[in-house]
Amino acid sequence: MEGTNTVFDIEEELKKLPEKPGVYLMHDKDDHIIYVGKAIVLKNRVRQYFQKSRNVSPKIARMIEHIAWFEYIVTDSELEALVLECNLIKEHNPKYNTMLKDGKSYPFLKATVSEEYPRFVFARQMKRDGAKYFGPFTSAAAIRDTIELLNRLFHLRNCRRVLPRDVGKERPCLYHEMGQCPAPCQGHVPKEEYQENFRKAIAFLNGNTKDVMRELERKMQTFSENMQFEEAAIYRDLIESVRRVTERQKITSDDNEDRDIIAMARKEDEAVVQVFFIRGGKLIGREHYYLTGVYGEDEPHIIGAFIKQMYAGTPYIPRELWTECEPEDSGAILAWLGKKRGHKVFIRNPKRGEKERLLDLAKRNAWMVLEQDAEKLKRERERTLGAMEEIEGLLGLDGLARVESYDISNINGFETVGSMVVFEKGRAKKNDYRKFRIRSVQGPDDYHSMEELLTRRFTHGQREDLDELDSFRLFPDVIFMDGGKGQVNVAERVLENLGIQIPVCGMVKDDRHRTRGLYFQNKEIPIDIHGQGFRLITRIQDETHRFAIEYHRHIRGKTQVHSILDDIPTIGAARRKSLMKYYESLEDIKRATVEELRAVPGMNEKSAQAVVAFFSQDNT
């Protein structure tokens, strides 16, 4: 998904969320990741943020206000989502995340495969010690339950004795007395037999659980039928522990390697390549890339072309690239990558096991991007170029590409400002937006303020010494005024005086301040309120108004709306604002009596007398 809210329709994207577990990333308007979260069901979780009735903390409420767009990564389980969430939060340090910033770690199940009589132990960290690690996992209790279960099922030891060095040195432990350990510490079980049991336990953890689970369920059922409910409950809980712990977690590998996992989805002449970035064995991020011109090309050619273009511009080359197939020119590519990296680089094509499943996960995400973006591109074309074509039909004009829209903002004539907003081919072109401080008009006079704004804009645009980068040298194909007949007449008069011919439309609003139609060539043109043209006009009008209001707010904040009222004793910001809202001009305030001033919200006898006394002095 693109990192911009100019084309990201949150309501539409919410409809496309899958009913799958995964991680979602919230971005602000500057493309910063401000929040990372996990979800059992992405569709349900992400939609909750945008439900008005949902009760959230003040911090999350502030975060929601800054969301410009979001993206997500689909995983196979909640556990995968949680571990990926942890990795991404550590990598990006989002502003509004708190849950994992305490450095909390997740435990591992460690198999001491290098020992002659190996064990399963609980571990907080994964080390390069020759052991095999499973995880990380979220439940320490589940790991301990599973260790106990494995020891009981496969007759494995639970002690820390160094074997065979310590064989026979101490008496067997209580587990042997309970029949849960064959006591290898006494030499009661051959090493080969013990190691075979351990291999079966490893296979069980790797997912070959059907036989054992069937046996556990049989025992649970037997105890239940014999009314031995406590024993049945033990097996029920152990079965649940096994299910939790044996959820396969593909997001972290046990080799701490750096690799990029590359998978592709293609349709007709377009393709999306999804890259998962694995650093130190952990997935820290992903990116997708669009390719065109792939029609008729085979997959090795496309992957080879992508690798060459991708890594020509990146400063870091990982040790491994995992791809679905051997890329074309792989020998030359490997030599080139190895030279750039300074060490040998490997391209691998996993075909089975966890490696193949992680590659498949990347491919599924690539397909999701391709399918959804095809729909998004179609919608985007309808809401931009399609909308402009509708407007052309409404006005009877051809070749409309650049639209300029203008608005005036002030509070009772204080600090009047104007805005110029530009749309090209149906998209906002924010680099060409311009702000104006009105200089020649005193008081609330929108028509003369607009006349000054337009005269300055188009007089500047007619200068012959303009730099090529000056956007004022570009004249619009049509002008939209934030108003009706009066504003249109002002614009047409300015253009006529300057000898410029540009069609002018007024964007007319109803009594509820909602767009209702266009005023063009002395008549109001009705618009289908369900059409894309109407929606584009509304976006232009709202954006023009927003830009003017924000500039006016900035000016007021910068100058603190300093006026003569600030010099009156007992008149603070709140009362000054009330006076400015209540009276149309400063002259009206000067002429007001004490009784009239007391009628202003927030004014009392003392403050009213202070205003009258102030303006009765010479400094008025």
Side-chain angles (χ1 to χ4, degrees):
M1 299 179 184
E2 298 180 14
T4 173
N5 63 351
T6 59
V7 298
F8 193 89
D9 188 326
I10 288 181
E11 290 299 324
E12 287 298 322
E13 296 298 330
L14 288 174
K15 296 176 184 177
K16 298 187 303 184
L17 285 164
E19 294 183 2
K20 295 179 180 295
V23 173
Y24 53 91
L25 300 90
M26 302 297 193
H27 294 250
D28 64 12
K29 62 182 179 61
D30 297 319
D31 217 21
H32 298 137
I33 296 175
I34 59 175
Y35 189 80
V36 175
K38 74 171 182 69
I40 301 176
V41 179
L42 282 165
K43 188 179 187 68
N44 297 342
R45 184 71 181 94
V46 178
R47 286 172 66 90
Q48 288 179 354
Y49 287 99
F50 303 96
Q51 293 174 351
K52 294 182 179 180
S53 60
R54 183 169 181 252
N55 185 24
V56 297
S57 67
K59 186 190 74 170
I60 294 300
R62 290 195 301 272
M63 182 271 290
I64 294 171
E65 293 177 355
H66 290 89
I67 296 174
W69 68 286
F70 61 81
E71 61 176 324
Y72 50 88
I73 302 175
V74 174
T75 60
D76 279 343
S77 70
E78 180 189 8
L79 181 59
E80 286 184 20
L82 190 146
V83 177
L84 177 55
E85 175 195 39
C86 181
N87 293 343
L88 292 174
I89 289 173
K90 289 180 179 178
E91 176 68 16
H92 298 291
N93 194 28
K95 179 178 179 179
Y96 291 98
N97 273 96
T98 57
M99 185 176 72
L100 299 177
K101 285 194 174 184
D102 57 358
K104 179 180 179 182
S105 62
Y106 293 89
F108 296 84
L109 180 62
K110 177 179 176 180
T112 61
V113 294
S114 59
E115 295 180 344
E116 291 192 39
Y117 291 87
R119 303 164 293 143
F120 289 106
V121 297
F122 180 93
R124 281 291 179 189
Q125 294 181 332
M126 187 166 61
K127 301 178 181 178
R128 293 180 177 271
D129 54 4
K132 184 176 181 63
Y133 289 85
F134 297 85
F137 305 107
T138 58
S139 174
I143 291 179
R144 293 189 174 98
D145 286 347
T146 303
I147 290 174
E148 179 183 351
L149 173 65
L150 292 170
N151 292 341
R152 290 169 60 184
L153 290 176
F154 299 100
H155 307 291
L156 304 175
R157 69 188 182 105
N158 192 42
C159 65
R160 297 183 180 180
R161 296 176 185 178
V162 180
L163 302 180
R165 186 195 68 183
D166 295 338
V167 169
K169 289 185 177 181
E170 298 182 26
R171 60 180 296 178
C173 65
L174 183 61
Y175 287 100
H176 176 65
E177 301 295 334
M178 296 170 60
Q180 295 183 14
C181 177
C185 60
Q186 303 300 312
H188 292 172
V189 57
K191 180 174 69 174
E192 293 76 13
E193 180 183 337
Y194 183 94
Q195 291 180 346
E196 177 61 24
N197 289 339
F198 192 81
R199 280 192 291 271
K200 290 180 180 178
I202 292 290
F204 175 82
L205 284 177
N206 280 325
N208 299 328
T209 62
K210 291 183 179 180
D211 292 340
V212 174
M213 291 290 282
R214 192 179 299 116
E215 178 64 17
L216 289 174
E217 290 171 353
R218 185 189 65 79
K219 290 182 177 180
M220 180 181 68
Q221 186 67 25
T222 299
F223 280 120
S224 179
E225 291 173 353
N226 294 332
M227 309 291 285
Q228 295 174 280
F229 299 119
E230 291 185 3
E231 290 80 358
I234 292 174
Y235 281 94
R236 178 202 63 197
D237 295 340
L238 290 176
I239 288 170
E240 180 59 29
S241 294
V242 171
R243 285 174 176 163
R244 281 186 290 168
V245 172
T246 55
E247 277 187 316
R248 301 304 298 137
Q249 195 285 105
K250 300 185 292 295
I251 301 302
T252 301
S253 62
D254 59 0
D255 55 12
N256 293 319
E257 283 289 357
D258 291 355
R259 62 175 60 93
D260 289 351
I261 299 171
I262 302 170
M264 181 186 71
R266 61 183 296 187
K267 184 182 294 184
E268 298 177 352
D269 197 39
E270 294 183 342
V272 169
V273 175
Q274 182 86 41
V275 182
F276 282 2
F277 302 104
I278 309 293
R279 300 295 180 260
K282 295 182 178 180
L283 176 60
I284 64 167
R286 63 89 185 257
E287 187 59 83
H288 60 261
Y289 302 87
Y290 297 93
L291 299 177
T292 58
V294 301
Y295 186 78
E297 301 287 358
D298 60 20
E299 190 170 335
H301 174 85
I302 298 171
I303 293 296
F306 170 77
I307 290 175
K308 286 183 282 188
Q309 295 177 55
M310 165 75 175
Y311 295 101
T314 184
Y316 180 75
I317 310 295
R319 183 175 182 271
E320 293 181 355
L321 305 181
W322 288 5
T323 62
E324 299 173 272
C325 65
E326 190 75 16
E328 187 176 86
D329 299 327
S330 60
I333 289 174
L334 284 173
W336 170 64
L337 292 175
K339 184 176 180 180
K340 283 177 65 72
R341 184 175 186 268
H343 296 282
K344 194 171 184 179
V345 175
F346 300 88
I347 295 179
R348 308 195 187 281
N349 316 120
K351 301 299 182 184
R352 62 178 64 88
E354 292 302 316
K355 295 179 180 179
E356 190 273 336
R357 279 192 280 272
L358 184 53
L359 195 62
D360 180 65
L361 182 63
K363 188 174 185 68
R364 279 186 281 145
N365 277 271
W367 270 112
M368 190 173 299
V369 171
L370 182 63
E371 291 171 352
Q372 293 181 354
D373 280 7
E375 180 185 346
K376 184 175 73 175
L377 290 172
K378 180 181 178 181
R379 290 200 319 272
E380 181 60 19
R381 201 269 176 202
E382 291 175 351
R383 71 190 293 271
T384 54
L385 294 176
M388 288 300 297
E389 291 169 0
E390 285 188 25
I391 294 172
E392 287 178 348
L394 286 170
L395 303 179
L397 301 173
D398 294 323
L400 299 185
R402 183 182 175 96
V403 176
E404 290 184 6
S405 179
Y406 301 91
D407 191 20
I408 296 295
S409 179
N410 64 73
I411 297 180
N412 296 330
F414 292 94
E415 297 289 356
T416 301
V417 299
S419 67
M420 165 182 153
V421 162
V422 179
F423 275 64
E424 280 194 1
K425 298 181 179 179
R427 293 186 176 92
K429 191 176 182 182
K430 294 192 175 183
N431 288 341
D432 285 1
Y433 285 16
R434 291 295 182 269
K435 306 168 184 175
F436 300 82
R437 293 187 73 166
I438 303 304
R439 304 165 182 165
S440 63
V441 180
Q442 299 297 323
D445 188 340
D446 285 358
Y447 288 162
H448 284 94
S449 297
M450 182 62 73
E451 183 176 9
E452 178 191 325
L453 185 160
L454 293 173
T455 301
R456 286 165 56 187
R457 184 267 179 266
F458 288 104
T459 300
H460 185 102
Q462 288 179 317
R463 288 170 48 185
E464 296 181 357
D465 60 343
L466 288 181
D467 186 277
E468 289 187 1
L469 298 179
D470 193 330
S471 63
F472 273 6
R473 68 183 179 84
L474 300 174
F475 280 6
D477 300 308
V478 63
I479 293 173
F480 281 0
M481 305 300 297
D482 187 39
K485 181 178 180 180
Q487 293 284 20
V488 170
N489 289 341
V490 170
E492 289 178 339
R493 184 169 63 250
V494 170
L495 294 174
E496 183 180 359
N497 292 338
L498 295 175
I500 300 172
Q501 293 185 346
I502 299 174
V504 181
C505 291
M507 297 180 290
V508 185
K509 291 189 176 183
D510 59 21
D511 294 338
R512 297 184 180 181
H513 209 65
R514 297 178 303 188
T515 305
R516 75 172 189 232
L518 289 177
Y519 181 83
F520 183 58
Q521 294 181 343
N522 296 318
K523 63 181 179 180
E524 185 172 323
I525 302 174
I527 308 177
D528 178 8
I529 63 172
H530 302 293
Q532 292 294 343
F534 175 81
R535 292 171 184 171
L536 176 58
I537 293 167
T538 300
R539 287 199 300 275
I540 293 173
Q541 190 169 35
D542 291 344
E543 179 70 352
T544 307
H545 188 61
R546 177 201 65 80
F547 192 56
I549 291 295
E550 283 191 358
Y551 181 45
H552 192 255
R553 186 180 297 120
H554 170 74
I555 295 297
R556 294 201 317 269
K558 188 174 181 181
T559 63
Q560 297 182 355
V561 199
H562 183 82
S563 73
I564 197 170
L565 299 179
D566 293 307
D567 299 325
I568 304 176
T570 76
I571 300 301
R575 285 174 176 155
R576 180 193 67 215
K577 187 175 181 180
S578 291
L579 288 167
M580 292 168 64
K581 284 186 175 181
Y582 196 85
Y583 291 99
E584 292 186 359
S585 68
L586 189 61
E587 293 302 319
D588 291 338
I589 298 175
K590 291 180 179 181
R591 290 192 295 266
T593 65
V594 172
E595 289 73 19
E596 291 170 339
L597 289 169
R598 286 188 62 186
V600 177
M603 296 289 288
N604 56 28
E605 180 75 22
K606 183 178 180 180
S607 58
Q609 290 178 353
V611 172
V612 172
F614 181 83
F615 286 120
S616 65
Q617 299 172 8
D618 292 338
N619 61 353
T620 60

